[in-house]
């Protein structure tokens, strides 16, 4: 089968590899679509988290097949599998946890100290024609949710976790910095929760247009003072919460200055290094800085329910590319030339 294999930083190869077969408790999936996200960009351009030393939890080593956002159809089930059957349309919750550390045993397994993920630091990966995953990672898609949307469940779960941590009341207001895939997911999640006043900050004209198309009030940080615009929009009060999806220090500080008293900013973006903030603003308004990692149990299910109810439209913000163009897709996502890229996985032996 064909797969996109990462051998090291800036060394990605589309190559043939043996087709995997499921063992006991495992499911083999014929992948239809796989997403490219900020994590994949970091893995390729900076440093893969997989190394030549086996991962202590999963045993994964380089080369690592990329792709942790994907959906497809079950083709074979290993011994003991009883939750899904061949022909089922599914997406995959890719995170793997130890189940034994204090975080896992206290109900915070998504914060496991040895957290791994399929397509990052666990064997397999969705940028391949077939993948084998544990049965408990699989989520069936209802009839009204196509496989294209199924490949978006994982990033939308990241965004929904951030929105749920923000706890904006129905009818409240929110700011989202960065209109990439997770930012768009935050927009859709806020609206699904009855938050219609959503402002989004984005320097890319194409991404601003996509966010505006889906009901956001959009701000260009290169043209306006974001905090001043937010305060004017809210009558000087500030928004009830901000979700920071850009990974930029200036965006984080603009979000902090845009908050109502005692409001939170939820940091869901990936940051390449330490970020300086204006701590005096945080102290004087008694603001909350909240981290946000992955998604707890139950979030995947809620995203799928929202999708079935029509809360995650796909028009105007998705681009499709063939597997052979994965490297170009990584560059496009890094440089904000595309908002969200889905890789169409070939059905036969071609690329």
């Amino acid at each position: 089968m064909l797969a996109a294999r990462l051998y090291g930083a800036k060394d990605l190869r589309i190559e043939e590899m043996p087709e995997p077969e499921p063992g006991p408790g495992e499911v083999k999936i014929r992948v239809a679509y796989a997403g490219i996200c900020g994590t994949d960009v970091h893995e390729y351009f900076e440093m893969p988290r997989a190394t030549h030393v086996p991962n202590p939890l999963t045993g994964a080593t380089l080369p690592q097949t990329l792709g942790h956002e994907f959906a497809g159809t079950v083709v074979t089930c290993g011994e003991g599998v009883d939750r899904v059957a061949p022909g089922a349309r599914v997406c995959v919750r890719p995170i793997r946890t130890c189940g034994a550390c204090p975080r896992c045993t206290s109900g915070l397994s998504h914060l496991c100290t040895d957290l791994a993920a399929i397509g990052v630091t666990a064997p397999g990966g969705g940028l391949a024609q077939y993948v084998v995953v544990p049965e408990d990672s699989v989520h069936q898609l209802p009839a009204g949710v196509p496989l294209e949307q199924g490949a978006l469940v994982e990033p939308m779960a990241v965004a929904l976790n951030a929105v749920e941590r923000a706890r904006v009341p129905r009818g409240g207001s929110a700011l989202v910095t960065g209109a990439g895939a997770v930012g768009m997911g935050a927009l859709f999640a806020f609206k699904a929760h009855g938050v219609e006043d959503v402002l989004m900050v984005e320097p890319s004209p194409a991404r601003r247009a996509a966010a505006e198309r889906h009901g956001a009030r959009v701000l260009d940080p290169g043209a306006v003072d974001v905090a001043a615009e937010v305060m004017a929009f809210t009558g000087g009060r500030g928004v009830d919460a901000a979700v920071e999806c850009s990974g930029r220090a200036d965006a984080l500080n603009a979000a902090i200055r845009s908050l109502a008293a005692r409001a939170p900013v939820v940091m869901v973006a990936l940051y390449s290094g330490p970020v300086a903030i204006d701590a005096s603003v945080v102290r004087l308004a008694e603001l909350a800085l909240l981290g946000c990692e992955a998604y707890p149990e139950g979030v995947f299910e809620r995203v799928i329910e929202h999708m079935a109810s029509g809360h995650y439209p796909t028009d105007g913000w998705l681009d499709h590319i063939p597997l052979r163009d994965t490297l170009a897709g990584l560059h496009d996502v890094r440089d904000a030339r595309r908002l969200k890229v889905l890789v169409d996985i070939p059905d036969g032996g071609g690329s």
Side-chain angles (χ1 to χ4, degrees), residues 263-277:
V265 57
V266 182
M267 296 174 288
V268 67
L270 295 174
Y271 297 92
S272 296
V275 174
I277 63 168

Side-chain angles (χ1 to χ4, degrees), residues 88 130 186 193 198 235 242 277 283 330:
Y130 295 94
H193 282 73
V198 181
I277 63 168
R283 182 183 68 82
L330 287 164

Side-chain angles (χ1 to χ4, degrees), residues 138-289:
V138 171
H139 292 259
Q140 294 198 56
L141 300 173
V145 178
L147 287 172
E148 180 189 59
Q149 275 191 311
L152 298 172
V153 172
E154 199 277 346
M156 298 303 98
V158 173
L160 180 58
N161 184 32
V163 167
E164 290 180 345
R165 282 184 60 71
R167 297 188 177 183
V168 177
R170 181 174 292 271
S173 60
L175 176 70
V176 178
T177 51
V182 173
M184 292 297 291
L187 170 64
F188 298 143
F190 274 126
K191 288 187 174 293
H193 282 73
V195 180
E196 291 296 330
D197 288 339
V198 181
L199 298 95
M200 295 190 75
V201 179
E202 174 56 54
S204 163
R207 291 184 173 189
R208 287 200 304 272
E212 191 168 30
R213 176 176 183 170
H214 289 288
R217 181 183 177 91
V218 182
L219 304 175
D220 178 359
V224 301
D225 181 317
V226 170
E229 289 289 316
V230 172
M231 288 300 174
F233 179 76
T234 59
R237 178 179 179 273
V239 290
D240 294 305
V243 176
E244 207 299 280
C245 305
S246 73
R248 294 174 55 97
D250 55 352
L252 175 58
N253 280 289
I256 288 171
R257 294 194 301 273
S258 300
L259 292 171
R262 290 192 166 182
V265 57
V266 182
M267 296 174 288
V268 67
L270 295 174
Y271 297 92
S272 296
V275 174
I277 63 168
D278 191 335
S280 294
V281 175
V282 176
R283 182 183 68 82
L284 291 170
E286 294 188 354
L287 304 178
L289 304 180

